[in-house]
Short mmCIF file of all heavy atoms in Angstrom, two decimals:
data_model
loop_
_atom_site.label_atom_id
_atom_site.label_comp_id
_atom_site.label_asym_id
_atom_site.label_seq_id
_atom_site.Cartn_x
_atom_site.Cartn_y
_atom_site.Cartn_z
N ILE A 269 127.90 65.09 -68.76
CA ILE A 269 128.20 64.24 -67.60
C ILE A 269 127.63 62.77 -67.97
O ILE A 269 128.31 61.81 -67.88
CB ILE A 269 127.60 64.66 -66.29
CG1 ILE A 269 128.28 65.90 -65.81
CG2 ILE A 269 127.79 63.57 -65.16
CD1 ILE A 269 127.54 66.68 -64.66
N ALA A 270 126.33 62.78 -68.47
CA ALA A 270 125.75 61.47 -68.88
C ALA A 270 126.67 60.81 -69.90
O ALA A 270 126.87 59.53 -69.93
CB ALA A 270 124.36 61.67 -69.46
N LYS A 271 127.15 61.52 -70.96
CA LYS A 271 127.98 60.96 -72.01
C LYS A 271 129.13 60.32 -71.41
O LYS A 271 129.60 59.28 -71.73
CB LYS A 271 128.39 62.11 -72.86
CG LYS A 271 129.16 61.81 -74.10
CD LYS A 271 129.48 62.95 -74.96
CE LYS A 271 130.69 62.83 -75.74
NZ LYS A 271 131.14 64.08 -76.38
N GLY A 272 129.83 61.05 -70.39
CA GLY A 272 131.05 60.46 -69.75
C GLY A 272 130.73 59.11 -69.03
O GLY A 272 131.55 58.19 -69.13
N ILE A 273 129.57 59.06 -68.37
CA ILE A 273 129.26 57.85 -67.66
C ILE A 273 129.19 56.65 -68.66
O ILE A 273 129.69 55.63 -68.48
CB ILE A 273 127.92 58.00 -66.86
CG1 ILE A 273 128.12 59.04 -65.76
CG2 ILE A 273 127.53 56.66 -66.21
CD1 ILE A 273 126.80 59.53 -65.10
N LYS A 274 128.42 56.93 -69.77
CA LYS A 274 128.27 55.90 -70.73
C LYS A 274 129.58 55.47 -71.42
O LYS A 274 129.70 54.36 -71.87
CB LYS A 274 127.27 56.40 -71.79
CG LYS A 274 125.91 56.54 -71.39
CD LYS A 274 125.29 55.27 -70.82
CE LYS A 274 124.80 54.36 -71.79
NZ LYS A 274 124.14 53.12 -71.24
N LEU A 275 130.53 56.43 -71.52
CA LEU A 275 131.83 56.07 -72.04
C LEU A 275 132.52 55.05 -71.25
O LEU A 275 133.27 54.14 -71.80
CB LEU A 275 132.70 57.31 -72.19
CG LEU A 275 132.30 58.31 -73.39
CD1 LEU A 275 133.05 59.52 -73.31
CD2 LEU A 275 132.54 57.55 -74.79
N VAL A 276 132.39 55.02 -70.00
CA VAL A 276 133.02 54.07 -69.09
C VAL A 276 132.17 52.88 -68.91
O VAL A 276 132.70 51.76 -68.82
CB VAL A 276 133.37 54.77 -67.78
CG1 VAL A 276 133.86 53.73 -66.63
CG2 VAL A 276 134.39 55.84 -67.95
N ASP A 277 130.87 53.01 -68.67
CA ASP A 277 130.00 51.86 -68.39
C ASP A 277 128.81 51.82 -69.34
O ASP A 277 127.73 52.44 -69.08
CB ASP A 277 129.58 52.00 -67.00
CG ASP A 277 128.87 50.69 -66.53
OD1 ASP A 277 128.53 49.80 -67.40
OD2 ASP A 277 128.43 50.66 -65.30
N GLU A 278 128.97 51.26 -70.49
CA GLU A 278 127.90 51.41 -71.48
C GLU A 278 126.73 50.64 -71.12
O GLU A 278 125.50 50.83 -71.60
CB GLU A 278 128.46 50.90 -72.83
CG GLU A 278 128.79 49.52 -72.92
CD GLU A 278 129.16 49.03 -74.35
OE1 GLU A 278 129.37 49.91 -75.20
OE2 GLU A 278 129.32 47.77 -74.62
N LYS A 279 126.78 49.72 -70.06
CA LYS A 279 125.68 48.95 -69.67
C LYS A 279 124.83 49.67 -68.60
O LYS A 279 123.71 49.27 -68.27
CB LYS A 279 126.08 47.60 -69.10
CG LYS A 279 126.55 46.70 -70.21
CD LYS A 279 126.63 45.26 -69.77
CE LYS A 279 127.16 44.39 -70.87
NZ LYS A 279 127.88 43.22 -70.43
N ALA A 280 125.43 50.61 -68.08
CA ALA A 280 124.64 51.42 -67.06
C ALA A 280 123.46 52.19 -67.62
O ALA A 280 123.62 52.85 -68.66
CB ALA A 280 125.59 52.44 -66.27
N ALA A 281 122.30 52.12 -66.91
CA ALA A 281 121.28 52.96 -67.21
C ALA A 281 121.46 54.33 -66.73
O ALA A 281 121.71 54.58 -65.47
CB ALA A 281 119.99 52.47 -66.70
N VAL A 282 121.42 55.37 -67.65
CA VAL A 282 121.64 56.73 -67.17
C VAL A 282 120.34 57.45 -67.49
O VAL A 282 119.99 57.51 -68.79
CB VAL A 282 122.85 57.42 -67.83
CG1 VAL A 282 123.06 58.82 -67.42
CG2 VAL A 282 124.15 56.65 -67.62
N LYS A 283 119.70 57.97 -66.55
CA LYS A 283 118.43 58.71 -66.77
C LYS A 283 118.48 60.11 -66.30
O LYS A 283 118.96 60.37 -65.17
CB LYS A 283 117.33 57.93 -66.03
CG LYS A 283 117.05 56.45 -66.60
CD LYS A 283 115.86 55.89 -66.05
CE LYS A 283 115.87 54.43 -66.51
NZ LYS A 283 114.61 53.65 -65.95
N LEU A 284 118.04 61.02 -67.20
CA LEU A 284 118.05 62.45 -66.87
C LEU A 284 116.66 62.98 -66.69
O LEU A 284 115.71 62.69 -67.48
CB LEU A 284 118.73 63.30 -68.13
CG LEU A 284 120.23 63.23 -68.09
CD1 LEU A 284 120.66 61.83 -68.60
CD2 LEU A 284 120.66 64.28 -69.10
N PHE A 285 116.48 63.78 -65.64
CA PHE A 285 115.15 64.36 -65.42
C PHE A 285 115.35 65.86 -65.13
O PHE A 285 116.05 66.24 -64.11
CB PHE A 285 114.52 63.75 -64.21
CG PHE A 285 114.24 62.24 -64.44
CD1 PHE A 285 115.10 61.39 -63.92
CD2 PHE A 285 113.11 61.89 -65.16
CE1 PHE A 285 114.92 59.94 -64.20
CE2 PHE A 285 112.71 60.46 -65.39
CZ PHE A 285 113.67 59.53 -64.88
N ASN A 286 114.68 66.66 -65.82
CA ASN A 286 114.41 68.09 -65.48
C ASN A 286 113.32 68.07 -64.44
O ASN A 286 112.17 67.79 -64.72
CB ASN A 286 114.08 68.91 -66.65
CG ASN A 286 113.81 70.42 -66.25
OD1 ASN A 286 113.37 70.74 -65.14
ND2 ASN A 286 114.21 71.26 -67.21
N ILE A 287 113.68 68.28 -63.13
CA ILE A 287 112.73 68.08 -62.00
C ILE A 287 111.55 69.05 -62.18
O ILE A 287 110.48 68.68 -61.70
CB ILE A 287 113.50 68.12 -60.63
CG1 ILE A 287 112.58 67.59 -59.56
CG2 ILE A 287 114.00 69.52 -60.44
CD1 ILE A 287 112.23 66.22 -59.57
N SER A 288 111.76 70.16 -62.79
CA SER A 288 110.59 71.18 -62.77
C SER A 288 109.53 70.62 -63.82
O SER A 288 108.47 71.11 -63.93
CB SER A 288 111.04 72.48 -63.16
OG SER A 288 111.52 72.50 -64.49
N ARG A 289 109.95 69.66 -64.68
CA ARG A 289 108.98 69.17 -65.73
C ARG A 289 108.69 67.71 -65.48
O ARG A 289 108.09 67.12 -66.45
CB ARG A 289 109.65 69.28 -67.09
CG ARG A 289 109.93 70.68 -67.46
CD ARG A 289 110.51 70.74 -68.74
NE ARG A 289 111.02 72.14 -69.03
CZ ARG A 289 111.47 72.63 -70.11
NH1 ARG A 289 111.49 71.81 -71.22
NH2 ARG A 289 111.88 73.92 -70.27
N SER A 290 109.13 67.13 -64.42
CA SER A 290 108.95 65.76 -64.17
C SER A 290 108.08 65.41 -62.94
O SER A 290 107.93 66.33 -62.05
CB SER A 290 110.28 64.97 -63.92
OG SER A 290 111.18 65.37 -64.97
N ASP A 291 107.47 64.31 -62.98
CA ASP A 291 106.64 63.91 -61.81
C ASP A 291 107.66 63.45 -60.72
O ASP A 291 108.50 62.59 -60.83
CB ASP A 291 105.82 62.70 -62.15
CG ASP A 291 104.97 62.20 -61.06
OD1 ASP A 291 105.55 61.63 -60.11
OD2 ASP A 291 103.76 62.52 -60.97
N LYS A 292 107.49 64.15 -59.47
CA LYS A 292 108.47 63.95 -58.56
C LYS A 292 108.54 62.65 -57.94
O LYS A 292 109.51 62.04 -57.46
CB LYS A 292 108.23 64.99 -57.42
CG LYS A 292 106.93 65.00 -56.69
CD LYS A 292 106.72 66.15 -55.70
CE LYS A 292 105.44 66.11 -55.17
NZ LYS A 292 105.12 67.30 -54.23
N ASN A 293 107.33 61.94 -57.90
CA ASN A 293 107.33 60.54 -57.36
C ASN A 293 107.96 59.58 -58.28
O ASN A 293 108.56 58.64 -57.94
CB ASN A 293 105.87 60.15 -57.05
CG ASN A 293 105.27 61.08 -56.10
OD1 ASN A 293 104.39 61.92 -56.48
ND2 ASN A 293 105.85 61.19 -54.82
N ASP A 294 107.81 59.79 -59.71
CA ASP A 294 108.45 58.95 -60.61
C ASP A 294 109.97 59.07 -60.44
O ASP A 294 110.69 58.16 -60.63
CB ASP A 294 107.94 59.32 -62.08
CG ASP A 294 106.58 58.96 -62.30
OD1 ASP A 294 105.99 58.13 -61.43
OD2 ASP A 294 105.94 59.45 -63.23
N VAL A 295 110.34 60.34 -60.26
CA VAL A 295 111.86 60.57 -60.11
C VAL A 295 112.41 59.92 -58.85
O VAL A 295 113.46 59.23 -58.96
CB VAL A 295 112.21 62.07 -60.17
CG1 VAL A 295 113.62 62.39 -59.89
CG2 VAL A 295 111.78 62.70 -61.49
N VAL A 296 111.67 59.99 -57.83
CA VAL A 296 112.10 59.31 -56.53
C VAL A 296 112.17 57.81 -56.74
O VAL A 296 113.15 57.12 -56.43
CB VAL A 296 111.15 59.67 -55.40
CG1 VAL A 296 111.29 58.51 -54.22
CG2 VAL A 296 111.42 60.95 -54.87
N THR A 297 111.29 57.23 -57.60
CA THR A 297 111.36 55.85 -57.91
C THR A 297 112.69 55.49 -58.65
O THR A 297 113.32 54.44 -58.41
CB THR A 297 110.20 55.40 -58.71
OG1 THR A 297 108.94 55.92 -58.11
CG2 THR A 297 110.06 53.87 -58.89
N GLU A 298 113.00 56.39 -59.55
CA GLU A 298 114.28 56.21 -60.32
C GLU A 298 115.54 56.34 -59.43
O GLU A 298 116.48 55.58 -59.57
CB GLU A 298 114.41 57.18 -61.41
CG GLU A 298 113.31 56.96 -62.54
CD GLU A 298 113.29 55.49 -63.10
OE1 GLU A 298 114.37 54.84 -63.34
OE2 GLU A 298 112.19 55.11 -63.55
N VAL A 299 115.45 57.26 -58.50
CA VAL A 299 116.50 57.39 -57.53
C VAL A 299 116.66 56.13 -56.67
O VAL A 299 117.72 55.57 -56.41
CB VAL A 299 116.27 58.69 -56.57
CG1 VAL A 299 117.44 58.67 -55.44
CG2 VAL A 299 116.35 59.91 -57.37
N PHE A 300 115.58 55.58 -56.21
CA PHE A 300 115.43 54.34 -55.46
C PHE A 300 116.19 53.22 -56.18
O PHE A 300 116.91 52.41 -55.54
CB PHE A 300 114.02 53.99 -55.15
CG PHE A 300 113.77 52.69 -54.44
CD1 PHE A 300 114.10 52.70 -53.09
CD2 PHE A 300 113.44 51.52 -55.14
CE1 PHE A 300 113.97 51.42 -52.37
CE2 PHE A 300 113.21 50.35 -54.43
CZ PHE A 300 113.48 50.30 -53.06
N LYS A 301 116.05 53.15 -57.48
CA LYS A 301 116.68 52.09 -58.25
C LYS A 301 118.21 52.40 -58.53
O LYS A 301 118.80 51.50 -59.13
CB LYS A 301 115.94 51.99 -59.66
CG LYS A 301 114.60 51.32 -59.48
CD LYS A 301 113.70 51.64 -60.59
CE LYS A 301 114.11 51.35 -61.92
NZ LYS A 301 113.18 51.73 -63.00
N SER A 302 118.68 53.55 -58.27
CA SER A 302 119.92 54.00 -58.71
C SER A 302 121.13 53.73 -57.65
O SER A 302 120.89 53.61 -56.49
CB SER A 302 120.00 55.49 -58.90
OG SER A 302 119.05 55.74 -59.96
N LYS A 303 122.31 53.41 -58.21
CA LYS A 303 123.51 53.43 -57.35
C LYS A 303 124.02 54.79 -57.08
O LYS A 303 124.83 54.98 -56.21
CB LYS A 303 124.55 52.45 -58.04
CG LYS A 303 124.90 52.97 -59.39
CD LYS A 303 125.96 52.01 -60.08
CE LYS A 303 126.36 52.59 -61.48
NZ LYS A 303 127.33 51.70 -62.09
N ALA A 304 123.75 55.82 -57.88
CA ALA A 304 124.24 57.07 -57.63
C ALA A 304 123.18 58.13 -58.21
O ALA A 304 122.40 57.85 -59.18
CB ALA A 304 125.59 57.26 -58.47
N LEU A 305 123.27 59.20 -57.54
CA LEU A 305 122.38 60.38 -57.87
C LEU A 305 123.17 61.60 -58.10
O LEU A 305 124.01 61.95 -57.24
CB LEU A 305 121.31 60.64 -56.72
CG LEU A 305 120.60 61.92 -56.83
CD1 LEU A 305 119.64 61.95 -58.00
CD2 LEU A 305 119.79 62.10 -55.49
N LEU A 306 123.00 62.31 -59.28
CA LEU A 306 123.70 63.54 -59.52
C LEU A 306 122.63 64.65 -59.54
O LEU A 306 121.67 64.48 -60.21
CB LEU A 306 124.54 63.49 -60.89
CG LEU A 306 125.45 62.34 -60.98
CD1 LEU A 306 126.29 62.45 -62.29
CD2 LEU A 306 126.46 62.26 -59.84
N VAL A 307 122.92 65.77 -58.85
CA VAL A 307 121.85 66.82 -58.77
C VAL A 307 122.48 68.06 -59.22
O VAL A 307 123.66 68.44 -58.68
CB VAL A 307 121.29 66.91 -57.33
CG1 VAL A 307 120.27 67.94 -57.29
CG2 VAL A 307 120.68 65.58 -56.94
N GLY A 308 121.87 68.81 -60.05
CA GLY A 308 122.38 70.07 -60.57
C GLY A 308 121.39 71.18 -60.59
O GLY A 308 120.14 71.01 -60.84
N SER A 309 121.91 72.34 -60.31
CA SER A 309 121.14 73.64 -60.33
C SER A 309 122.05 74.73 -60.61
O SER A 309 123.19 74.84 -60.09
CB SER A 309 120.42 73.78 -59.02
OG SER A 309 119.80 75.13 -59.04
N PRO A 310 121.65 75.68 -61.41
CA PRO A 310 122.41 76.96 -61.51
C PRO A 310 122.16 77.72 -60.17
O PRO A 310 121.25 77.37 -59.37
CB PRO A 310 121.64 77.72 -62.60
CG PRO A 310 120.30 77.13 -62.68
CD PRO A 310 120.43 75.72 -62.27
N THR A 311 123.03 78.71 -59.91
CA THR A 311 122.83 79.43 -58.83
C THR A 311 121.93 80.69 -59.01
O THR A 311 121.97 81.30 -60.08
CB THR A 311 124.20 80.09 -58.34
OG1 THR A 311 125.09 78.98 -57.98
CG2 THR A 311 124.03 81.03 -57.11
N ILE A 312 121.00 80.81 -58.10
CA ILE A 312 120.01 81.98 -58.21
C ILE A 312 119.84 82.48 -56.83
O ILE A 312 119.72 81.75 -55.80
CB ILE A 312 118.68 81.48 -58.83
CG1 ILE A 312 117.78 82.62 -58.91
CG2 ILE A 312 117.99 80.31 -58.04
CD1 ILE A 312 116.50 82.51 -59.69
N ASN A 313 119.99 83.81 -56.73
CA ASN A 313 119.86 84.44 -55.41
C ASN A 313 120.75 83.74 -54.28
O ASN A 313 120.29 83.50 -53.20
CB ASN A 313 118.35 84.47 -54.91
CG ASN A 313 117.52 85.36 -55.83
OD1 ASN A 313 118.01 86.19 -56.61
ND2 ASN A 313 116.27 84.90 -55.95
N SER A 314 121.90 83.45 -54.65
CA SER A 314 122.81 82.76 -53.77
C SER A 314 122.33 81.42 -53.26
O SER A 314 122.79 80.83 -52.35
CB SER A 314 123.15 83.51 -52.51
OG SER A 314 123.54 84.84 -52.89
N GLY A 315 121.47 80.80 -54.08
CA GLY A 315 120.98 79.50 -53.71
C GLY A 315 120.64 78.62 -54.93
O GLY A 315 121.34 78.74 -55.92
N ILE A 316 119.61 77.79 -54.82
CA ILE A 316 119.29 76.86 -55.93
C ILE A 316 117.90 77.08 -56.42
O ILE A 316 117.05 77.70 -55.68
CB ILE A 316 119.48 75.39 -55.43
CG1 ILE A 316 118.62 75.00 -54.29
CG2 ILE A 316 120.90 75.15 -55.14
CD1 ILE A 316 118.77 73.60 -53.79
N LEU A 317 117.57 76.47 -57.57
CA LEU A 317 116.22 76.72 -58.09
C LEU A 317 115.24 76.01 -57.25
O LEU A 317 115.53 74.96 -56.67
CB LEU A 317 116.14 76.19 -59.60
CG LEU A 317 116.85 77.06 -60.53
CD1 LEU A 317 116.85 76.36 -61.89
CD2 LEU A 317 116.27 78.48 -60.72
N SER A 318 114.01 76.52 -57.13
CA SER A 318 112.96 76.03 -56.18
C SER A 318 112.58 74.61 -56.40
O SER A 318 112.37 73.79 -55.51
CB SER A 318 111.77 76.99 -56.16
OG SER A 318 111.20 76.99 -57.44
N ALA A 319 112.55 74.12 -57.69
CA ALA A 319 112.15 72.82 -58.03
C ALA A 319 113.23 71.79 -57.42
O ALA A 319 112.91 70.77 -56.93
CB ALA A 319 111.95 72.50 -59.59
N VAL A 320 114.47 72.18 -57.59
CA VAL A 320 115.55 71.41 -56.99
C VAL A 320 115.57 71.31 -55.49
O VAL A 320 115.75 70.41 -54.91
CB VAL A 320 117.00 71.94 -57.51
CG1 VAL A 320 118.06 71.03 -56.91
CG2 VAL A 320 117.06 71.81 -59.00
#
Side-chain angles (χ1 to χ4, degrees):
I269 294 168
K271 183 176 154 193
I273 297 169
K274 292 300 284 183
L275 284 172
V276 169
D277 187 356
E278 64 176 10
K279 288 192 177 150
V282 182
K283 298 190 185 177
L284 282 71
F285 297 95
N286 179 326
I287 192 64
S288 67
R289 299 179 188 189
S290 306
D291 180 282
K292 60 188 178 183
N293 305 108
D294 291 342
V295 174
V296 160
T297 310
E298 296 301 332
V299 174
F300 178 75
K301 286 155 60 184
S302 297
K303 59 185 179 178
L305 167 67
L306 307 184
V307 181
S309 172
T311 296
I312 181 169
N313 297 333
S314 309
I316 58 180
L317 290 175
S318 59
V320 178

